[in-house]
Amino acid sequence: MKRFLAILLCLSMLVGVMAGCNGGGTSSTSGTTDTSSTADTGDSEASGTEASASETSEDGVTNKGTTLPIVNEPVTLNVVKERHMLDTTESYNEKAAWANITEETGITIEWTELAAGTAAERIPLMLSSGDLPDVFWAALSDAQVLQNESNLFAMEDYMEDFAPNSLATYEQLGVDWKEIATTPSGHVFGFLGRYESLYENTGDGIQIINKAWLDKVGMDVPTTLDEFTEVLRAFKEKDPNGNGQADEIPYCFSEDMWCAAITNTMGWWGIGNGDGGSSTAASRNFSIRDGKVLGNVNTDEYRQYLEYHHKLYSEGLMDQEGFSQNTEVFSTKIKSGQVGTYFSWTALEYLTSEQEKDWVVVPPIQAIEGVDPIANGEVDRSTIQKNKWVITTSCEHPEAAMRLWDYQARDVESKMTVAMGEKGKLWDEYEDGSGYYFVVPEDTTPEFTFEHMKYTYGVVNDPPLMTKEETPKNDGEISPSAALRDSMIDQVDEWFIPKEDQLPQVYVSTEAIDRRTFMETDLFAHIKEFRAQAVINGFTDDEWNNYVSQLDAYGYQDWLQWYQDMMDGTLE
């Protein structure tokens, strides 16, 4: 009878019969509108054995361990994933890691692909409505996990049977993975992902400057505030792009671009905590020194920072549209040769490998004598991320969903295919088998840059977790462009935040998050509004004093204490 059922299974998969995990799919988004996409179906690889009840999930559908196919009958999983703005594929089905997933595992994926930038709006609506997918892939924050535990599948008791590859990786980490992945309620709701620690990710936005422009105006890379100001004036007045028009933007920034915000230069005044994220990032508003959490945005150093940037803005040395322009407008200015300096991941984000050669790093400038500057980064920063693959209680076969992620975690090559696409394009293996290395192709174009390739071929930061030993190298002898980011980090990492002044990587209770979030809404709006007004219009002593007093009215000191308690391990 079992043999007869096995034959029926093969026949049913050939004709594409699918048993959905939640009885139906939702739409997926590719670009700006929602479209449906389903992974290519095909014949499942035969396991060659008949699984007994002890070798499968309780319902007999999912095989334990690493047996293929993963399931004993067709299963469809609906997976939510936000697309990246640089991804040029029409669907995740086009990515090498997923193109043949049904044939390999017996599982069909129905993707819900959210347009870039829409997850912040779409995910909360899904959670509040109860219309949940089977899996959220790199879509839920810590707070969203904690606030929705009753709707999520707790996997800690199933990992040994249905995630052996992932467990093997976690046990090789230099930290206790359970401390990272376990919520205060004692459950594990999501797999870990990304890299244990990736040198290029220890930093964030790094300032680069157009060396070709410097050469044309006869100046060097600036090392002081006065030199920086004079360089910007020369960029504005001496037509360094040579087109005969006064269209140069000496210093370009964008509040919409995560690593190009105006707050990047706060570190010149010795304030900030090494996070080069957006202007609304919490760490823009505090510093940690010797384990003590200190305020940033109520200090004399911050006032000097604002006054200096108002000076630049009033002289037209900074982008006049920086507070309002989106990333597309920002990047167009760079591509069109109008920009002299900006903060970036690398110049390859928007430019070709040949154009990138014109750009060099500007190390952080010391704005105040005797005060060490800070760069956007943290020494030996952990890049492990929680909640990469979170399964909901709507999923009829959660063990199958676990095994699907674990299948992609089976070895380094599989993980890298998820991250960067197929072997031989953006990564490869040393001939002696000693490891792997990253590659930057030489055939990049302004329309299809290296960054486009990364997000088109893979998902970059959202693969199953890789240990330090598994992570490919940026080998300058093989691919100089691949080593570009590492070389940029080399030039600024001495100014990174030390390990002892970094926040612990732990879950925080829902109640504590709610308290902090309640404070942040009005507090952050006040900080951001005053910063923009101060840079654009300047400010008086009375306006500054009123701004500072309002900080306390909005609970700034309580907010700082929240982070001190987190640092001390006493947060409740």
Side-chain angles (χ1 to χ4, degrees):
M1 183 63 178
K2 290 182 180 178
R3 194 173 303 278
F4 175 70
L5 289 175
I7 293 172
L8 283 180
L9 169 63
C10 294
L11 289 174
S12 65
M13 295 184 73
L14 282 168
V15 297
V17 177
M18 296 178 290
C21 228
N22 57 11
T26 56
S27 297
S28 71
T29 303
S30 178
T32 57
T33 59
D34 288 354
T35 58
S36 180
S37 59
T38 304
D40 181 37
T41 59
D43 295 329
S44 289
E45 178 182 344
S47 64
T49 61
E50 298 174 3
S52 67
S54 63
E55 297 171 336
T56 67
S57 54
E58 290 185 6
D59 60 10
V61 173
T62 306
N63 292 314
K64 295 180 180 179
T66 59
T67 300
L68 290 177
I70 289 175
V71 291
N72 296 313
E73 63 181 57
V75 167
T76 296
L77 296 175
N78 176 239
V79 179
V80 165
K81 181 77 171 75
E82 184 178 26
R83 294 176 62 84
H84 193 277
M85 61 177 294
L86 299 179
D87 185 352
T88 64
T89 63
E90 293 296 324
S91 165
Y92 271 60
N93 297 333
E94 299 174 28
K95 297 181 186 292
W98 305 101
N100 300 307
I101 199 68
T102 305
E103 182 179 42
E104 296 166 4
T105 68
I107 297 173
T108 297
I109 301 178
E110 189 175 71
W111 296 102
T112 297
E113 300 180 41
L114 306 181
T118 66
E121 177 182 355
R122 294 282 303 279
I123 297 298
L125 291 176
M126 291 181 186
L127 293 170
S128 62
S129 70
D131 184 17
L132 301 176
D134 298 313
V135 177
F136 285 106
W137 182 11
L140 299 184
S141 67
D142 286 4
Q144 288 170 327
V145 168
L146 295 175
Q147 292 163 359
N148 293 276
E149 287 193 14
S150 62
N151 293 321
L152 304 179
F153 176 72
M155 63 175 71
E156 63 273 5
D157 293 334
Y158 298 82
M159 294 188 70
E160 185 173 345
D161 287 334
F162 298 101
N165 295 318
S166 299
L167 272 181
T169 297
Y170 300 168
E171 289 167 0
Q172 297 175 44
L173 298 175
V175 295
D176 184 348
W177 71 271
K178 291 181 180 179
E179 291 186 2
I180 299 173
T182 304
T183 66
S185 64
H187 294 299
V188 175
F189 290 106
F191 284 101
L192 302 177
R194 209 176 181 188
Y195 305 93
E196 180 180 4
S197 183
L198 191 61
Y199 184 59
E200 66 182 56
N201 284 336
T202 57
D204 296 298
I206 295 176
Q207 188 174 16
I208 57 176
I209 193 166
N210 193 318
K211 184 64 165 58
W213 282 23
L214 285 174
D215 293 341
K216 287 183 180 180
V217 299
M219 304 181 81
D220 297 322
V221 174
T223 59
T224 67
L225 279 186
D226 288 343
E227 289 178 2
F228 184 65
T229 306
E230 290 306 313
V231 164
L232 297 186
R233 287 171 178 156
F235 283 175
K236 179 184 179 183
E237 299 167 359
K238 297 185 178 181
D239 190 28
N241 67 7
N243 66 359
Q245 302 177 30
D247 62 348
E248 285 83 0
I249 302 171
Y251 172 29
C252 194
F253 72 99
S254 171
E255 296 294 89
D256 188 54
M257 174 56 180
W258 77 271
C259 68
I262 193 173
T263 46
N264 275 304
T265 50
M266 284 174 60
W268 295 2
W269 281 262
I271 52 180
N273 214 52
D275 184 345
S278 68
S279 286
T280 57
S283 56
R284 293 299 193 185
N285 302 323
F286 67 79
S287 301
I288 302 176
R289 301 293 180 267
D290 299 323
K292 300 299 180 183
V293 177
L294 308 171
N296 278 348
V297 293
N298 58 351
T299 63
D300 185 57
E301 291 84 359
Y302 183 66
R303 177 171 180 163
Q304 292 180 47
Y305 152 84
L306 293 175
E307 290 171 339
Y308 176 73
H309 284 77
H310 172 61
K311 173 183 176 182
L312 298 183
Y313 192 91
S314 63
E315 290 188 34
L317 304 181
M318 289 178 62
D319 196 327
Q320 304 293 288
E321 301 175 325
F323 287 105
S324 59
Q325 68 188 350
N326 61 27
T327 301
E328 182 178 358
V329 174
F330 169 74
S331 63
T332 298
K333 292 175 179 177
I334 296 169
K335 294 175 184 177
S336 64
Q338 292 179 267
V339 173
T341 185
Y342 68 102
F343 280 78
S344 74
W345 184 255
T346 75
L348 292 172
E349 206 156 22
Y350 304 122
L351 304 174
T352 67
S353 298
E354 189 61 32
Q355 292 170 323
E356 176 275 322
K357 296 175 183 177
D358 287 337
W359 294 82
V360 296
V361 168
V362 181
I365 292 171
Q366 185 180 46
I368 302 175
E369 186 176 355
V371 177
D372 292 333
I374 297 167
N376 296 317
E378 298 171 310
V379 175
D380 196 26
R381 172 191 288 170
S382 170
T383 50
I384 299 172
Q385 291 184 338
K386 304 188 288 289
N387 314 322
K388 278 302 180 187
W389 187 265
V390 178
I391 303 165
T392 74
T393 53
S394 294
C395 185
E396 185 179 350
H397 303 293
E399 299 95 340
M402 289 182 67
R403 279 228 39 209
L404 181 61
W405 179 260
D406 198 60
Y407 174 69
Q408 298 290 34
R410 63 192 182 274
D411 54 39
V412 176
E413 294 196 6
S414 178
K415 296 174 188 178
M416 282 305 303
T417 303
V418 175
M420 301 286 276
E422 64 186 281
K423 180 180 177 181
K425 287 188 175 181
L426 304 184
W427 62 281
D428 214 329
E429 184 177 11
Y430 287 105
E431 291 184 0
D432 62 4
S434 60
Y436 299 86
Y437 58 89
F438 290 108
V439 177
V440 175
E442 296 298 324
D443 58 347
T444 59
T445 68
E447 294 74 30
F448 196 55
T449 66
F450 175 55
E451 294 298 315
H452 283 101
M453 292 179 180
K454 287 162 55 178
Y455 289 100
T456 296
Y457 300 154
V459 292
V460 187
N461 291 321
D462 299 329
L465 183 63
M466 280 177 263
T467 65
K468 293 179 182 179
E469 291 72 23
E470 292 177 319
T471 303
K473 299 176 181 178
N474 286 311
D475 192 328
E477 294 184 5
I478 295 177
S479 179
S481 294
L484 173 62
R485 175 66 182 179
D486 281 9
S487 70
M488 293 172 66
I489 295 290
D490 287 340
Q491 297 174 68
V492 298
D493 66 349
E494 66 180 280
W495 293 282
F496 282 178
I497 296 295
K499 198 71 176 175
E500 60 270 21
D501 287 337
Q502 298 173 25
L503 288 170
Q505 192 178 19
V506 295
Y507 272 106
V508 175
S509 72
T510 303
E511 293 77 16
I513 291 175
D514 287 344
R515 291 200 310 273
R516 190 195 71 203
T517 303
F518 179 77
M519 290 185 280
E520 287 177 345
T521 303
D522 292 336
L523 176 63
F524 283 14
H526 175 59
I527 294 169
K528 187 175 182 180
E529 180 181 4
F530 183 79
R531 180 162 50 232
Q533 291 179 353
V535 171
I536 295 172
N537 302 316
F539 56 93
T540 65
D541 288 345
D542 286 343
E543 288 171 331
W544 169 258
N545 292 334
N546 180 62
Y547 156 75
V548 171
S549 66
Q550 285 297 309
L551 284 175
D552 290 337
Y554 284 126
Y556 188 42
Q557 297 304 320
D558 292 336
W559 183 82
L560 293 172
Q561 185 60 49
W562 190 98
Y563 277 98
Q564 184 65 65
D565 292 343
M566 182 182 182
M567 194 71 183
D568 294 341
T570 59
L571 187 64
E572 297 180 354

